[in-house]
Amino acid sequence: MIRVLVVDDHQLVRTGFRVILEIEEDIEVIGEASDGAQAVDLAASARPDVVLMDVEMPGVDGLEATRRIVAADAAASVLILTTFDRDDYLFAALHAG
């Protein structure tokens, strides 16, 4: 079973990803977070295999949350989600781990 944490500041986006992911028999959405700080806390307590991470969120953004999650748990893979076509986000995400 692949354990997934969905992180996005828009409830509708989180719900959409949950619905799509939970169709798969081998994927379990173990939680949702609406900002990076919540994501870091949930990742530490729930220990997901994969974190689907939005980039732009209020408070702690997705790039900083990724840095913190990767530093705390090298086993968690973070998949950055964004609609922005910006190279700086790409390079920052790669640098974050």
Side-chain angles (χ1 to χ4, degrees):
M1 185 68 68
I2 302 168
R3 299 165 39 83
V4 179
L5 171 61
V6 178
V7 185
D8 196 289
D9 57 327
H10 300 318
Q11 176 65 47
L12 186 59
V13 173
R14 292 193 314 270
T15 300
F17 277 117
R18 178 182 282 275
V19 168
I20 291 167
L21 292 169
E22 289 185 338
I23 291 171
E24 300 299 323
E25 293 179 11
D26 59 345
I27 296 177
E28 175 187 13
V29 176
I30 59 167
E32 298 178 18
S34 61
D35 63 45
Q38 288 179 343
V40 172
D41 291 343
L42 276 172
S45 63
R47 313 263 314 164
D49 300 310
V50 176
V51 180
L52 297 181
M53 180 75 72
D54 184 21
V55 172
E56 287 195 1
M57 294 180 288
V60 177
D61 68 19
L63 297 171
E64 178 59 27
T66 297
R67 285 183 202 94
R68 294 178 189 181
I69 290 168
V70 170
D73 181 8
S77 297
V78 180
L79 177 63
I80 299 290
L81 305 172
T82 185
T83 58
F84 297 100
D85 185 18
R86 293 181 46 180
D87 289 343
D88 58 327
Y89 283 165
L90 171 65
F91 294 122
L94 290 171
H95 183 54

